């Protein structure tokens, strides 16, 4: 049998398992069927409900406008899959091609797609995290619980962490006329993603909307009352804040623990793959039958020096899923690389923030259009003289132009003026918090001497 | 690469004789995606280049940024936002949108569905007993005019007056000093002034009298951007009245023409009412109401498709050609409502994306649905039908049909 015959047979009656039944998993399943895959398809997900959309959870759901249950993702087509929901996967055996479930079941596959995504990083003290009034926000249930807590009219909400999710939650609180304190370790909100210049704009925006914004501080303790209800938070500068709701918005943890014994290059940074979404082994060798998509994937991007980048972006999940699905049922010569320029959006304090490219891959930033004072502008990011990203505040319609500048490695700063000329067009250092904050520590060790016996093994994680 | 190999292609497109079928000429034009014309202006006719320019912040909609003055658009007192750049464009459009769409007025267009259906059915009732029906005069023109008058707060019975002005204005849009009589331009200028005066009279009555119509709401707005000046309100109302008048009529008529030319599609729409949504999108690609953005100005030197367009140049964007570009759409000359990935240029793109697009969509969906349901085996009387003069806002001036008399 030729490989073309094999491929045809696989497309006709092969077995594909998708682990992770959220946005990336669902879109991949739909794309597989659209590509003509008629074999068996199994969807494994740890949540009990069918796939839903997460962006509204920190926006329309929290305002009370949209019930959390109304966020089910629209279907592009019937996927005709077997759904194994409510039980997480606990292991992947690549010697026998089985996914193990936490309840002991084993699901065989010919090819597998991993799209297990990210979960919310919990508060670091378990007993404090368990206090009534302490929330994280990642799932539908989280959003529903937090919405009810906001609807009850708390005297004050404390948001711990001023990234995008934390800032959106603070914005909703102000919209609902609830007093809110935001605590952020960095010098400004959004600074880790967008740098100091935009961070300052975001800080002004929050304060102008009545947020009690405290930067450069760490929350050290959440204190409860006799009934186990949150009543106060303590900061490392000795100050305190009385609050009956706290939202821990400290980012996510990638769901890769279940792959610890799998031999894949999986860890806290995600699962490494090539641009065709094929997973790498711990040794850095490419696999043929294991694919990765969505928040959990860590994919090289040629535009950014082939660095491995993982993105928790909605559009990335969709696009990567489509590429992965295509490649799962295509021969080597017909495979696609996932090469799209990252993009994300946020809405907070009445401002639509949108970005293209990778703003953290930059050394300078310059306002190219509009007015920072009026909170409507575009800022371009550059790295060693070329454009690598752009961020807009209430100016999203121009970003296609900047995407093109990124794709063509156009010179930075972009030279020509536009009709909507900013007051100051001088690039400034982008100024991100040092990488020390992001370091994970040793994750692997290399053993063996002869080229045939050199191997990588995972170091024991201490997190 | 810039070439001027076929400098006459554009002139042939603008010539009235090609109005019924400009598409083969668009294909010829696309052989040179960015074509320099003898007068130093540039014509862009391919999808990706047009889309690129519509998102390029170095392109200006302000006539003052053209190095050569343009008589047809100059000399107006206050331009409307369609002829302005940010930040003025953004401010005025935002202030108008407050009263038309989300987030401040989210339910307006969808809330009009019953009223639109009633108007449409009333017009179709009027077909009774007619030997021949003119889809334009009896239906596709009066329908959107009734709607825009109601929205703006312009008395419907004044239509015969402003109809003449709007016609003269539209006819002057593509004024060419070399080939057209000066009169065409002067009529346009006079009509603009007359229409402005007329609207000014209406506006005067609205101050201090809050009401539901757009003129009243603009005149009494107290939003975060403050209130538009009277001149700004007049320019905005003028724009919306003309646009609400002269575009949807073409979309509905082009739609009916397309369906009458493909009776199996008409039958399909009759039996699958849900098809109307993608069908109207395909119509916006295949037979759009606006064919050309007549001019934009290069604010700086702009490079597109390896051609440098010098600062101050006039740039003409051939939207209808871009939507038929085979490098973007598979089988572009086939009308296929099942087409996926149909990101057409029918409403333009970027910050000047059609303001009234959501209304035009709904109007056309309701109009075509009612027509195919209620007409009995309609057939075209003449094909091609006679066309309006304008190559920019292109559509039939009459579309006569007959029904099965059984």
């Amino acid at each position: 049998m030729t490989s073309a015959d094999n491929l045809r047979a696989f497309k006709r009656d092969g077995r594909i398992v998708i682990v992770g039944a959220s946005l990336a998993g669902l879109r991949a399943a739909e794309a597989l069927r659209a590509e003509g895959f008629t074999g068996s398809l199994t969807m494994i997900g740890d949540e009990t409900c069918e796939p839903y959309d997460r962006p509204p959870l920190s926006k329309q759901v929290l305002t009370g406008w949209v019930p959390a249950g109304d966020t089910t993702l629209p279907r592009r087509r019937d996927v005709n899959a077997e759904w194994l929901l409510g039980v997480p996967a606990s292991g992947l055996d690549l010697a026998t091609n089985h996914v193990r479930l936490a309840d002991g079941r084993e699901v065989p596959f010919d090819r597998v797609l991993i799209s297990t995504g990210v979960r919310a990083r919990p508060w670091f003290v378990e007993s404090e995290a368990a206090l009534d009034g302490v929330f994280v926000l990642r799932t539908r249930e989280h959003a529903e619980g937090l919405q009810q807590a906001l609807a009850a009219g708390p005297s004050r909400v404390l948001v711990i962490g001023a990234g995008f999710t934390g800032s959106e939650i603070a914005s909703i609180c102000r919209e609902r006329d609830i007093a809110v304190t935001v605590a952020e370790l960095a010098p400004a909100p959004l600074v880790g993603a967008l740098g100091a210049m935009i961070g300052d704009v975001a800080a002004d925006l929050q304060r102008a909307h009545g947020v009690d914004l405290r930067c450069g501080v760490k929350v050290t303790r959440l204190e409860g009352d006799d009934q186990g209800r949150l009543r106060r938070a303590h900061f490392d500068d000795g100050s305190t804040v009385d609050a009956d709701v706290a939202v821990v918005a400290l980012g996510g943890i990638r769901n890769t623990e279940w792959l610890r014994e799998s031999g894949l290059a999986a860890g806290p940074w995600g699962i490494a793959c090539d641009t065709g979404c094929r997973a790498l082994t711990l040794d850095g060798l490419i696999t043929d039958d294991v694919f990765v998509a969505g928040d959990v994937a860590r994919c090289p991007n040629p535009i950014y020096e082939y660095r491995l980048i993982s993105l928790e972006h909605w559009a990335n999940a969709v696009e990567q899923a489509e590429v992965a699905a295509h490649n799962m049922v295509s021969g080597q010569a017909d495979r696609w690389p996932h090469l799209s320029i990252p993009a994300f959006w946020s809405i907070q304090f009445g401002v639509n923030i949108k970005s293209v490219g990778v703003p953290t891959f930059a050394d300078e930033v310059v306002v190219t259009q509009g007015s920072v004072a009026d909170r409507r502008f575009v800022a371009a990011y550059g790295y060693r003289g070329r454009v690598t990203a752009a961020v807009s505040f209430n100016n999203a319609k121009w970003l296609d132009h900047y995407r093109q500048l990124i794709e063509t490695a156009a010179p930075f700063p972009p030279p020509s003026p536009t009709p909507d000329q900013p007051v100051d067009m001088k690039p400034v250092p982008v100024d991100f918090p040092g990488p020390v904050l992001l370091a994970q520590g040793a994750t692997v060790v290399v053993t063996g001497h002869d080229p045939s016996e050199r191997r990588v093994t995972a170091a024991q994680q201490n997190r | 690469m810039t070439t001027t190999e076929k400098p006459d292609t554009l002139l042939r497109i603008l010539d009235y004789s090609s109005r019924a079928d400009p598409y083969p000429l668009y294909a010829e034009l696309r052989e040179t995606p960015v074509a320099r014309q003898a007068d130093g202006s540039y014509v862009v006719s391919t999808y990706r280049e047009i889309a690129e320019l519509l998102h390029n912040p170095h392109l200006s909609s302000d006539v003052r940024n053209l190095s050569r003055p343009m008589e047809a658009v100059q000399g107006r007192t206050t331009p409307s936002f369609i002829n302005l750049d940010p930040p003025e464009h953004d401010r005025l459009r935002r202030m108008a949108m407050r009263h038309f769409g989300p987030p401040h007025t989210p339910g307006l267009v969808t809330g009009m569905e019953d009223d639109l259906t009633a108007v449409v059915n009333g017009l179709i009732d009027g077909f009774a007993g007619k030997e021949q029906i003119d889809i334009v005069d009896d239906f596709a023109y009066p329908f959107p005019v009734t709607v825009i008058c109601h929205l703006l707060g312009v008395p419907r019975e004044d239509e015969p007056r402003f109809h003449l002005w709007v016609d003269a204005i539209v006819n002057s849009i593509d004024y060419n000093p070399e080939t057209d009589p000066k009169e065409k331009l002067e009529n346009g200028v006079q009509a603009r002034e007359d229409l402005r005066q007329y609207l000014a009279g209406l506006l005067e009555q609205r101050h201090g009298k809050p009401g539901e119509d757009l003129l009243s709401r603009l005149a009494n707005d107290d939003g975060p951007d403050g209130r538009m000046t009277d001149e700004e309100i007049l320019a905005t109302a003028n724009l919306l009245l003309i646009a609400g008048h002269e575009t949807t009529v073409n979309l509905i008529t082009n739609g009916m023409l397309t369906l009458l030319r493909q009776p199996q599609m008409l039958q399909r729409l009759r039996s699958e009412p849900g098809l109307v949504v993608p069908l109207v999108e395909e119509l916006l690609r295949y037979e759009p109401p606006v064919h050309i953005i007549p001019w934009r100005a290069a604010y700086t030197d702009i490079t597109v498709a390896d051609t440098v367009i010098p600062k101050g140049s006039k740039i003409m964007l051939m939207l209808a050609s871009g939507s038929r570009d085979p490098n973007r759409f598979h089988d572009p000359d086939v009308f296929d409502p099942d087409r996926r990935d149909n990101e057409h240029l029918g409403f333009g793109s970027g910050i000047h994306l059609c303001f009234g697009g959501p209304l035009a969509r709904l109007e056309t969906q309701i109009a075509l649905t009612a027509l195919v349901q209620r007409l009995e085996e309609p057939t075209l009387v003449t094909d091609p039908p006679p066309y309006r003069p304008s190559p920019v806002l292109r559509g039939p001036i009459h579309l006569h049909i007959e029904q099965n008399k059984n």
Side-chain angles (χ1 to χ4, degrees), chain B residues 149-179:
Chain B
C149 285
H150 175 75
L151 254 179
L152 273 176
V154 171
R156 181 67 176 85
E157 56 273 22
D158 290 348
E159 186 272 331
R161 291 172 71 198
F162 58 73
H163 184 178
L164 294 174
W165 300 326
V166 170
D167 261 1
I169 292 168
V170 169
N171 279 334
S172 70
I173 287 179
D174 62 321
Y175 170 73
N176 180 339
E178 265 135 56
T179 53

Side-chain angles (χ1 to χ4, degrees), chain A residues 441-459:
Chain A
T443 51
V444 294
V445 292
V446 178
T447 60
H449 300 282
D450 199 73
S452 68
E453 41 178 56
R454 292 283 281 174
R455 289 289 181 273
V456 169
T457 48

Side-chain angles (χ1 to χ4, degrees), chain A residues 19 44 88-94 97-102 105-107 109 112 256-262:
Chain A
V19 188
I44 295 171
S90 61
L92 179 67
D93 186 340
L94 292 178
N97 277 3
H98 279 79
V99 175
R100 254 195 325 279
L101 301 188
R105 274 181 292 175
E106 296 208 324
V107 186
F109 62 82
V112 64
T256 58
E257 293 85 349
W258 67 287
L259 296 168
R260 198 166 287 151
E261 309 293 322
S262 68

Side-chain angles (χ1 to χ4, degrees), chain B residues 190-239:
Chain B
Q190 183 59 48
R192 276 180 203 286
E193 183 50 30
D194 291 343
L195 181 55
R196 204 196 71 87
Q197 294 269 345
Y198 167 74
L199 290 171
L202 294 179
L203 177 59
E204 214 172 281
Q205 306 157 20
R206 299 303 209 286
H207 282 298
K209 291 189 194 117
E212 280 309 298
D213 61 80
L214 212 55
L215 269 179
S216 302
R217 295 177 69 161
L218 289 173
N220 299 289
D221 194 7
D222 52 3
D225 288 297
R227 194 168 296 171
M228 286 188 192
T229 65
D230 277 7
E231 285 304 316
E232 288 168 345
I233 295 175
L234 291 176
T236 304
N238 195 314
L239 170 69

Side-chain angles (χ1 to χ4, degrees), chain A residues 169-185:
Chain A
I169 294 165
S171 170
I172 300 294
C173 288
R174 292 311 300 138
E175 201 178 309
R176 298 186 74 153
D177 204 23
I178 297 167
V180 58
T181 296
V182 173
E184 168 60 49
L185 183 56

Side-chain angles (χ1 to χ4, degrees), chain A residues 207-229:
Chain A
R207 294 199 168 107
H209 282 80
V211 173
D212 168 33
L213 177 65
R214 305 184 185 192
C215 295
V217 295
K218 196 171 177 176
V219 177
T220 50
R221 190 160 72 89
L222 298 176
E223 179 192 331
D225 63 14
D226 299 343
Q227 279 84 45
R229 286 189 302 244

Side-chain angles (χ1 to χ4, degrees), chain A residues 76-77 369 376 394-395 397-402 404 414-421, chain B residues 52 54-60 85-87 90 93-94 299-301 340 350-351 353:
Chain A
R76 291 179 174 175
R77 59 167 59 235
Q369 290 175 250
R376 39 154 219 94
N394 281 344
N395 256 270
K397 289 208 169 179
W398 298 113
L399 287 187
D400 264 6
H401 175 69
Y402 290 86
Q404 206 173 11
S416 350
T418 69
D420 196 7
Q421 191 76 357
Chain B
E52 191 180 320
L54 288 172
H55 292 95
N56 190 320
H58 308 295
L59 216 67
S60 169
D85 292 327
D90 294 8
R93 181 168 166 136
R94 184 167 64 230
Y299 190 76
T300 59
D301 289 0
R340 296 194 158 217
I351 63 166
L353 181 79

